[in-house]
C-alpha cells in the first residue's frame, strides 16, 4: 500500500467510534467517548503505579492534561490543587509542570473572584485540540491494534 493511502486510512480511522460495533455517533457522543477514554487512561496509569515502582514512570503533565480534559467534558471546574493531585507527583513538581503547560499555551490559570485563595485551571482551545488529537490517535490505535501505523508502504 502506498504511504499516502495508509495516511488516508489512518485519518478515516480517527473518525470512527471507540467500539467498532457501535453505531456512528455525533460529535457530542464522540466527545463523551474521548472523555471516558481519558478517564480510563488515567485510571490505568494509577493502577500501573500501584503494581510497579512509580519512580520508573512519570508524566505529570500528561496526567494533568488527561484530568483537565475529562473534568472539562463532564462540565466540572478543576482547581490548581486538584490538578496537582491528578499529577500524582509532589506538589512542587506538579506546579512546575502546570507552569510549563501554561507557558506552552496548553492551559490557563483563572482566578476565582469570590475566593482569592483559589485558582482554576482550564485547557486552552490549543490544549483541548492537542489532547483531543492524541486521544483520537490512541483510541484508533487501540481499535485496530496499531495496524494502520505498522503497515508496510509496499
Amino acid at each position: 500500500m502506498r504511504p499516502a493511502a495508509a495516511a488516508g486510512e489512518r485519518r478515516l480511522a480517527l473518525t470512527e467510534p471507540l467500539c467498532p460495533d457501535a453505531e456512528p455517533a455525533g460529535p457530542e457522543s464522540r466527545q463523551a467517548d474521548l472523555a471516558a477514554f481519558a478517564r480510563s487512561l488515567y485510571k490505568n496509569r494509577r493502577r500501573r503505579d500501584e503494581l510497579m515502582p512509580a519512580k520508573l514512570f512519570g508524566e505529570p503533565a500528561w496526567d494533568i492534561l488527561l484530568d483537565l480534559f475529562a473534568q472539562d467534558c463532564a462540565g466540572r471546574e478543576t482547581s490548581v490543587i486538584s490538578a496537582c493531585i491528578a499529577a500524582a507527583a509532589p506538589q512542587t513538581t506538579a506546579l512546575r509542570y502546570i507552569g510549563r503547560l501554561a507557558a506552552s499555551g496548553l492551559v490557563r490559570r483563572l482566578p476565582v473572584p469570590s475566593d482569592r485563595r483559589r485558582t482554576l485551571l482550564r485547557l486552552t482551545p490549543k490544549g483541548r485540540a492537542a489532547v483531543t488529537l492524541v486521544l483520537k490517535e490512541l483510541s484508533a490505535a487501540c481499535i485496530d491494534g496499531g495496524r494502520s501505523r505498522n503497515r508496510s508502504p509496499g
Side-chain angles (χ1 to χ4, degrees):
M1 179 176 298
R2 296 183 329 265
E9 285 181 13
R10 187 166 153 252
R11 277 192 297 275
L12 290 175
L14 296 180
T15 63
E16 294 180 8
L18 291 175
C19 300
D21 299 330
E23 292 293 317
E28 297 84 20
S29 178
R30 181 63 180 159
Q31 194 71 11
D33 288 344
L34 288 176
F37 186 58
R39 284 189 300 275
S40 176
L41 284 174
Y42 183 83
K43 182 179 175 183
N44 286 322
R45 291 167 65 79
R46 297 295 67 83
R47 180 69 177 140
R48 178 192 67 191
D49 290 346
E50 291 174 10
L51 298 173
M52 294 182 252
K55 293 178 184 177
L56 294 175
F57 309 100
E59 297 180 79
W62 181 235
D63 290 335
I64 291 167
L65 292 171
L66 285 173
D67 186 59
L68 285 173
F69 183 86
Q71 297 300 333
D72 184 57
C73 288
R76 292 189 290 262
E77 294 183 329
T78 303
S79 69
V80 167
I81 296 300
S82 293
C84 287
I85 293 167
Q91 187 171 1
T92 54
T93 301
L95 289 169
R96 186 170 49 253
Y97 276 97
I98 289 169
R100 290 176 184 169
L101 290 167
S104 297
L106 298 174
V107 302
R108 67 178 174 194
R109 292 181 178 106
L110 301 165
V112 177
S114 61
D115 185 351
R116 291 186 174 168
R117 296 169 297 171
R118 292 187 66 223
T119 302
L120 299 178
L121 200 60
R122 283 207 187 121
L123 288 172
T124 63
K126 174 185 173 181
R128 175 175 266 288
V131 172
T132 298
L133 181 60
V134 170
L135 290 173
K136 284 182 179 181
E137 289 189 7
L138 286 172
S139 67
C142 289
I143 290 169
D144 72 8
R147 289 185 302 269
S148 63
R149 288 184 177 258
N150 297 326
R151 289 195 178 123
S152 62

